[in-house]
Amino acid sequence: MRVFLLLCLLALGNAKPYEPINVMDFMKNYDIMMADSDDDDDDDDDDNLDDEDENCPAGCHCSPGVVQCSDQGLISVPEKIPEDTVMMDLQNNDITEIKEDDFKGLHRLYGLFLINNKISKIHPKAFRNMDHLRLLYLSYNLLTEIPANLPPNVIELRFHENKINRIQENAFKGLRKLHVLELGANPLTNTGIDLGAFNGLSTLYIGIAEAKLTAVPKALPSSITDLSLDYNKITKVEIEDFKRYKNLQRLGLAFNQIKFVENGSFVSTPNIREIHLDNNRMKKVPPGLSSLRYLQVIFLHGNKISSVGVNDFCPIRSSVKKNLYTGISLFANPVKYWDIQPATFRCVTGRRGVQLGNFRK
C-alpha cells in the first residue's frame, strides 16, 4: 500500500499550472489504506461519522471525514472545524495567515490543502500535535521561507510558486518520512540553499524547477530517485554534480542553458532510467550514455546537435545493456537523420522508439 500511495504522489510530481485538486480522490486512497491497516484504534470513531456533519463551518460542505471550504472568499481559517476531520480543503480563498490555534484539536487530520491563497505567515505552533498529517499543500501562496515545526510524519510537502528565496539550515528537521518535496517556481538560487538545509531527509522526489539555479545543487538528500531541475539557468553538467545521488532513476534538466556535459557525469547514477536534456544548447550527444545499462528514455530534442556517433547510445557489447531504449528524441536538431548510421539505434526496442526530423531554424 505504501508503494501504491507513493506512485500516486509522484504522478503529481512535475510542476503544472494551477488546477483545483479533488480532495475526494485523496479520500478514496485514504479509505483504501485504512481498510488495509492493522490499526483498529479508530474503528469506534468511524462509527460516529454521520452522512452530514451538523457542526459544519458556515459556507463549507461536509461529508464523513471531509470538510470542503474552497472558493468561499475566506480571509481566515473557519472556526469550529469538526475534530474528526481527515481531509481539510481550503483551496482558492484569500487566507493571509495561519494562526496558532487555527487547527487546534484536529488530531486525525491526514490531508490539509491550502493551495492558492495569500498566505505569507504561518505561526510556529500551527501544526503542533498533528502527528497524523501526511499531505500538506501550500502551493500558490506568498511564503518567503519554509514554515517552522512542520508535521513530523508528513510524506508530501508542496510549496510550488511561493516567494521562497532561501532554505535555511535544518529547514526540514525531523521529517524522516518525507517522500515528496515540491519547491518549484520559487526564486531560489544556489546560494539560497544553506548547507545542511536537507539534513535528515530520505526524500525520493525533489522538484526545484522554474527557479534561478545556475548549477545542480550538491547537498540534496542522497536518497532521491527523482530530481526535477527543468526551467532553470544551468549551463553545464559536471562529474561532481551527481556523485551524491547514486539512487537517481529520473533526471529532469530540460529547458536550461546547458552547453557542456563532462564525460563521466552520469557514472555515479548506474540505475538511471530516464534523462531529460531537451531544449538546451548542446552541440553533441552527452558522453557516457552507452555505459548506462538501465537507461530507457533520453530526450535531446531542441538542442544544437549536428552529428551522432554510432556508439553514442549503445555499448559495443550488447550484453552490457540490461534495458533497451523505449524513447530517444533527436528532433529539432541540425543533425541530418540520413547521416546517422542505422546501427546507432541497435539497442532500441523498435523504430517508434526513435524520434528524428528535419531541422528548421
Side-chain angles (χ1 to χ4, degrees):
M1 183 52 58
R2 178 184 177 187
V3 174
F4 169 76
L5 176 62
L6 182 58
L7 290 174
C8 292
L9 301 182
L10 290 178
L12 297 170
N14 293 323
K16 299 176 181 178
Y18 171 69
E19 293 182 4
I21 288 173
N22 186 345
V23 174
M24 298 310 295
D25 289 340
F26 287 91
M27 194 63 186
K28 291 175 184 177
N29 292 334
Y30 174 82
D31 289 340
I32 293 172
M33 287 187 296
M34 290 300 99
D36 288 349
S37 175
D38 293 328
D39 185 2
D40 296 323
D41 292 342
D42 294 331
D43 285 350
D44 293 337
D45 293 335
D46 292 337
D47 292 338
N48 293 328
L49 292 174
D50 298 325
D51 290 339
E52 186 70 25
D53 197 318
E54 296 179 356
N55 296 318
C56 190
C60 301
H61 301 280
C62 298
S63 55
V66 180
V67 177
Q68 293 179 286
C69 306
S70 60
D71 302 279
Q72 298 299 314
L74 300 174
I75 59 174
S76 61
V77 175
E79 298 179 354
K80 299 180 180 179
I81 301 170
E83 292 187 358
D84 56 14
T85 301
V86 172
M87 298 286 179
M88 184 75 199
D89 180 7
L90 289 163
Q91 299 177 86
N92 279 343
N93 283 292
D94 296 316
I95 299 170
T96 58
E97 179 182 357
I98 303 299
K99 301 181 179 67
E100 179 178 357
D101 294 329
D102 278 349
F103 303 113
K104 185 177 180 180
L106 302 184
H107 304 306
R108 292 189 58 192
L109 200 61
Y110 182 92
L112 177 57
F113 305 94
L114 289 157
I115 304 169
N116 203 35
N117 278 275
K118 298 177 181 178
I119 300 168
S120 61
K121 183 179 179 181
I122 296 179
H123 193 280
K125 294 183 179 180
F127 302 119
R128 70 189 184 282
N129 301 322
M130 297 178 76
D131 293 343
H132 287 87
L133 193 68
R134 300 295 189 270
L135 311 176
L136 179 56
Y137 283 31
L138 283 158
S139 297
Y140 302 95
N141 277 286
L142 302 174
L143 294 171
T144 57
E145 60 182 16
I146 303 298
N149 303 316
L150 291 164
N153 294 313
V154 67
I155 60 174
E156 182 180 3
L157 274 172
R158 294 192 176 273
F159 296 104
H160 181 78
E161 200 160 318
N162 275 269
K163 305 292 183 181
I164 299 170
N165 57 20
R166 178 172 173 250
I167 302 178
Q168 62 272 32
E169 183 180 1
N170 294 317
F172 306 102
K173 184 178 180 180
L175 306 188
R176 301 188 180 280
K177 296 183 180 180
L178 187 66
H179 288 164
V180 175
L181 177 59
E182 178 57 70
L183 293 163
N186 282 283
L188 269 173
T189 63
N190 291 81
T191 56
I193 301 175
D194 289 359
L195 185 65
F198 300 96
N199 282 349
L201 288 187
S202 57
T203 309
L204 299 180
Y205 168 83
I206 289 185
I208 318 180
E210 302 177 79
K212 296 183 178 180
L213 300 176
T214 55
V216 175
K218 304 292 194 299
L220 300 175
S222 59
S223 57
I224 54 174
T225 60
D226 192 335
L227 176 60
S228 175
L229 300 173
D230 304 309
Y231 292 94
N232 275 284
K233 299 180 180 180
I234 299 169
T235 59
K236 58 184 177 181
V237 176
E238 300 177 301
I239 292 176
E240 298 294 324
D241 287 347
F242 301 109
K243 278 193 171 180
R244 180 176 171 84
Y245 313 133
K246 301 183 184 301
N247 298 315
L248 203 60
Q249 295 187 21
R250 184 191 179 279
L251 173 62
L253 283 168
F255 291 93
N256 276 276
Q257 300 170 17
I258 298 170
K259 294 181 179 180
F260 173 73
V261 177
E262 187 176 4
N263 192 11
S265 294
F266 300 118
V267 169
S268 299
T269 59
N271 297 314
I272 197 150
R273 264 73 168 171
E274 186 173 333
I275 300 175
H276 294 247
L277 278 163
D278 53 282
N279 294 285
N280 278 284
R281 300 178 182 178
M282 295 179 296
K283 293 183 178 180
K284 61 181 181 179
V285 175
L289 297 181
S290 61
S291 67
L292 300 175
R293 301 164 53 156
Y294 298 99
L295 184 63
Q296 293 177 281
V297 175
I298 174 73
F299 287 172
L300 296 169
H301 55 272
N303 278 278
K304 298 181 179 181
I305 299 171
S306 58
S307 65
V308 176
V310 70
N311 295 319
D312 279 351
F313 297 103
C314 304
I316 296 174
R317 291 172 48 230
S318 60
S319 59
V320 173
K321 187 72 172 170
K322 297 300 181 182
N323 288 347
L324 297 179
Y325 286 99
T326 57
I328 296 177
S329 69
L330 283 163
F331 62 89
N333 279 287
V335 61
K336 297 180 176 62
Y337 65 85
W338 53 83
D339 287 341
I340 302 176
Q341 298 184 41
T344 301
F345 306 118
R346 59 189 178 274
C347 58
V348 183
T349 53
R351 291 186 305 175
R352 294 183 179 180
V354 180
Q355 298 176 14
L356 294 167
N358 290 323
F359 175 72
R360 295 180 180 179
K361 291 185 179 180

